[in-house]
Amino acid sequence: MRAVIRTGLLGTTIAFTKDQPHPLPDTAELKPNEILIKVKSAAINPVDYKLPRFIGGKGVGFDVSGVVERVCPTTDFSVGDNVFGRVGISSGSLADYAIVSTDRIAKKPEWLSFDEAAAIGVTYLTGVHAFKLGSVKEGSSVLVIGASGGCGLAGIQLAVAMKANVVGICSGKNFDFVRDESGIDKMENVNLELVDYTDDKAMSEFKEKNVGKFDCIYDTATGSGHGENYVSSMAKLLKDETGEYVQIAGGIATIMRYFTGTMKPQQNFFFTSDEDNQTDLVKIARLLKSTGVKPHIDLLKPFDAESVAEGFEHLKGRRTKGKIVFNME
């Protein structure tokens, strides 16, 4: 079958193949709580090219949507169900078929296409889990750093749908895009403010005026690969004692502090959790429907070698607005 795999001496080369073995031969049995899906669409995230094979396994990709082909005896899913969510590490969503744990997927709403549903996965689950950590609720004040990227835009959409008061930091040229995709027009008594990180004066004034304001700072930009670091300058904007800074990328020093339990008070380094994925996918769909927004697809490509190379090159350029999706048909 077709698939994208990690190759090379260090297992960091992304390659397209037409000869990947089927994940479930006809004579094999699924494990409890597993299903086999025929992949309809799959999306990619920066983690997909950053993970080496010894951590991420041979298969590439997490975000997926598709149709159930085979089921284990202990599942509520049926053959023919349309589903979406994320595959486990090492499985790989960029393939014609994938085995998925039933606690990582949900039934696809009819109002989402397979392409749109595949774009939810990691970015929206990360946002929901980060906002749990930050105790975000109606009326909370939320700052999203990197508001026009995949995780940042998802965070904006989710926070607006949760009726939080939201500030997003991104380039001024992306203000209209973020506002148009946010869902704010459908909400009453909810505020969305945008700040241009390329405008030194605007950023300085924003930081001076908002010390101690935010319940949650969702930082999707720090540690993303080009030396960005907002933590030291933005942490002071948290409310004393109760505010939470949630960072989703970082360098070796941050990762070491996370694993050794030496993160500073109110600062969190966060990996997407496997807990409650199915419940949270249902919640995400409900929140998006409430504001009438959908995941923004920046690039939709067919599933072939040339398109896969182009898609990852676009992703590495770090100017992707929303998600990159491959349609398997």
Side-chain angles (χ1 to χ4, degrees), residues 123-124 127 131 144-160 166 169-170 174-183 192 194 218 220 288 293-298 320-323:
T123 52
Y124 286 81
F131 290 159
V144 179
I145 304 174
S148 63
C151 282
L153 182 60
I156 293 283
Q157 291 177 330
L158 292 169
V160 166
V166 188
I169 293 178
C170 61
N174 290 327
F175 278 8
D176 289 343
F177 164 73
V178 172
R179 183 168 290 277
D180 289 346
E181 296 289 333
S182 68
L192 173 62
L194 298 173
Y218 182 40
T220 72
L288 295 182
V293 299
K294 297 180 177 182
H296 178 79
I297 298 176
D298 189 45
T320 302
K321 296 190 292 186
K323 295 301 294 283

Side-chain angles (χ1 to χ4, degrees), residues 198-217:
T198 69
D199 185 332
D200 292 339
K201 182 179 178 181
M203 282 291 289
S204 179
E205 290 178 352
F206 169 74
K207 286 185 280 190
E208 288 175 5
K209 293 178 180 179
N210 290 280
V211 174
K213 173 182 177 178
F214 291 99
D215 295 295
C216 178
I217 297 178

Side-chain angles (χ1 to χ4, degrees), residues 4 18 22 31 48 65 130 134 144 161 164 201 203 208 218 253 269 272 280 303:
V4 175
K18 294 182 179 179
H22 193 288
K31 296 177 182 177
D48 295 327
S65 67
V144 179
K201 182 179 178 181
M203 282 291 289
E208 288 175 5
Y218 182 40
F269 183 64
T272 303
D280 287 331
F303 191 52

Side-chain angles (χ1 to χ4, degrees), residues 111-305:
W111 57 273
L112 283 173
S113 70
F114 282 108
D115 295 332
E116 292 162 345
I120 289 178
V122 167
T123 52
Y124 286 81
L125 285 168
T126 300
V128 162
H129 295 160
F131 290 159
K132 285 183 183 179
L133 194 58
S135 301
V136 174
K137 58 184 182 299
E138 183 175 348
S140 293
S141 53
V142 176
L143 173 61
V144 179
I145 304 174
S148 63
C151 282
L153 182 60
I156 293 283
Q157 291 177 330
L158 292 169
V160 166
M162 295 169 73
K163 301 181 181 179
N165 293 305
V166 188
V167 177
I169 293 178
C170 61
S171 170
K173 67 183 179 181
N174 290 327
F175 278 8
D176 289 343
F177 164 73
V178 172
R179 183 168 290 277
D180 289 346
E181 296 289 333
S182 68
I184 192 68
D185 293 340
K186 297 285 184 72
M187 307 299 290
E188 296 181 358
N189 302 317
V190 175
N191 298 314
L192 173 62
E193 176 187 351
L194 298 173
V195 183
D196 184 357
Y197 76 88
T198 69
D199 185 332
D200 292 339
K201 182 179 178 181
M203 282 291 289
S204 179
E205 290 178 352
F206 169 74
K207 286 185 280 190
E208 288 175 5
K209 293 178 180 179
N210 290 280
V211 174
K213 173 182 177 178
F214 291 99
D215 295 295
C216 178
I217 297 178
Y218 182 40
D219 185 351
T220 72
T222 294
S224 58
H226 281 246
E228 305 91 338
N229 189 342
Y230 288 90
V231 180
S232 58
S233 64
M234 292 297 189
K236 64 184 179 181
L237 306 190
L238 288 172
K239 289 183 177 178
D240 288 341
E241 297 184 4
T242 60
E244 294 290 345
Y245 196 107
V246 185
Q247 178 183 346
I248 64 170
I252 295 298
T254 302
I255 294 172
M256 289 300 294
R257 286 196 298 271
Y258 170 79
F259 281 110
T260 57
T262 56
M263 297 291 290
K264 294 181 180 179
Q266 297 180 266
Q267 293 185 16
N268 305 275
F269 183 64
F270 180 74
F271 291 102
T272 303
S273 171
D274 281 340
E275 296 180 3
D276 299 325
N277 276 191
Q278 187 177 110
T279 301
D280 287 331
L281 288 166
V282 173
K283 177 181 179 179
I284 290 163
R286 175 177 54 79
L287 287 170
L288 295 182
K289 189 175 183 180
S290 73
T291 59
V293 299
K294 297 180 177 182
H296 178 79
I297 298 176
D298 189 45
L299 195 65
L300 179 62
K301 305 287 286 184
F303 191 52
D304 55 47

